[in-house]
Amino acid sequence: MLQVEELPTTVIPKWARRTLQFAGVYNLVWGAFTVLFPHFFFDVAGAERMRYPQIWQCVGMIVGVYGIGYLIAAGNPFRHWPIVLVGLLGKIFGPIGFAFSIFQGGFPVEFGLNIITNDLIWWIPFSLIIWKAAWATPPDPASIRKFVWESPMPGTREQLFELHQPEMLANLIPPWEKVKVVSAPASLLPGSTAILEQKIGPFRLRWVAEHISYDPPHEFVDQQVTGPFAYWHHRHRMIELSRSESILRDEVTYALPLGQLSDFLFGWLVRRKMAAMFRYRHEQTRLSLLRNSEQAENKES
């Protein structure tokens, strides 16, 4: 199994803990009140009382159980993000169901006060907790994946390595990717960094990669410091094939935010985008080698 170095412990903001603590207490109180007084909210909203109040009491019990989950998650919101995610999904589907019921004339609008306090006010803080947990949680070894892309190149290993200069970085970004170079690395030596800005949906993320290994003309390695992945380790290898040909081999070890859940939902899309990206990168590299060779021949002639 692939291993990665353990990431430094992330400081959990107090507001995240307080939010879940408050949510836990609120759910327990609301749930207990509903079990004890199942008709209360119906009477306040002017709705007809349920024929079988035990059903509404069961809802109160379920809400109370969520409260216990939130209190557990408050101990470490980033580690227990799945509990927060399940809670958020419930708080999204609940209003959808209520809106559908209103459309059908099943509930009075006044009953929506429960939707505001039980669901809507938690959307933003719960979403922020999940968002921050996505990049703050060290990757689970089971979620680590490896991607490899290699292509034959019309040049020696030395020529191929020499081509990989910092100023070439912008030329290797596919035109369809919403990525721009904020700061190219000063060199490929360990300690130098590249800063990219990537747009993912409505969000803009800084991608900072640091070079950690340099072994000309064989390989160099960079690793994500911060960025869209939970982990990213990129090894650029130049392999000698013959006196006039070589192989460019990119080996990427990576993990997606939120681990196996993200991999299950979006892993296929990420691998497809990576294949398209490296196909473009290798084609641009091949064309650059051909242009350099042609320019060299013209100078000799």
Side-chain angles (χ1 to χ4, degrees), residues 61-164:
M61 294 178 189
I62 294 172
V63 170
V65 170
Y66 270 92
I68 296 173
Y70 296 149
L71 291 176
I72 294 173
N76 191 328
F78 292 169
R79 177 184 299 173
H80 300 300
W81 65 263
I83 296 177
V84 184
L85 176 61
V86 171
L88 178 62
L89 291 176
K91 295 179 184 305
I92 292 175
F93 294 142
I96 292 175
F98 177 73
F100 185 73
S101 179
I102 290 293
F103 179 76
Q104 291 186 318
F107 275 134
V109 177
E110 292 79 5
F111 204 82
L113 290 173
N114 280 292
I115 298 299
I116 295 175
T117 56
N118 284 20
D119 303 306
L120 299 184
I121 66 172
W122 306 104
W123 282 8
I124 293 177
F126 275 35
S127 297
L128 287 174
I129 291 173
I130 295 170
W131 175 262
K132 290 184 174 295
W135 283 275
T137 306
D140 177 1
S143 67
I144 302 297
R145 300 290 179 264
K146 187 167 185 177
F147 177 89
V148 177
W149 192 272
E150 65 177 30
S151 305
M153 293 291 164
T156 65
R157 175 173 58 188
E158 288 74 15
Q159 290 172 329
L160 179 58
F161 191 94
E162 181 64 25
L163 186 65
H164 284 77

Side-chain angles (χ1 to χ4, degrees), residues 167-234:
E167 58 269 19
M168 188 181 178
L169 178 60
N171 297 329
L172 297 179
I173 299 175
W176 61 84
E177 291 288 352
K178 298 178 180 179
V179 177
K180 68 175 183 179
V181 179
V182 177
S183 175
S187 69
L188 302 182
L189 295 174
S192 61
T193 59
I195 303 176
L196 307 176
E197 187 175 78
Q198 182 174 22
K199 187 175 182 181
I200 302 178
F203 304 102
R204 291 187 180 275
L205 293 177
R206 278 288 176 99
W207 192 342
V208 179
E210 179 181 5
H211 289 275
I212 60 174
S213 177
Y214 182 72
D215 181 21
H218 306 284
E219 67 178 35
F220 63 94
V221 180
D222 58 79
Q223 183 166 295
Q224 175 186 287
V225 178
T226 60
F229 289 83
Y231 181 78
W232 175 277
H233 180 278
H234 184 184

Side-chain angles (χ1 to χ4, degrees), residues 276-294:
M277 179 183 69
F278 280 104
R279 184 183 296 112
Y280 178 86
R281 290 172 62 110
H282 284 212
E283 178 62 16
Q284 291 300 111
T285 302
R286 187 183 70 84
L287 292 175
S288 295
L289 285 169
L290 290 174
R291 283 195 296 268
N292 290 349
S293 177
E294 183 178 347

Side-chain angles (χ1 to χ4, degrees), residues 264-275:
F264 175 76
L265 295 175
F266 309 112
W268 63 274
L269 178 60
V270 171
R271 288 186 287 273
R272 183 170 147 185
K273 287 174 67 68
M274 288 175 65

Side-chain angles (χ1 to χ4, degrees), residues 7-39:
L7 299 182
T9 302
T10 303
V11 177
I12 300 173
K14 290 183 178 180
W15 66 261
R17 297 182 188 272
R18 295 290 184 265
T19 295
L20 292 174
Q21 288 170 352
F22 186 76
V25 172
Y26 173 84
N27 276 45
L28 286 172
V29 172
W30 192 95
F33 187 86
T34 300
V35 170
L36 294 173
F37 308 101
H39 298 297

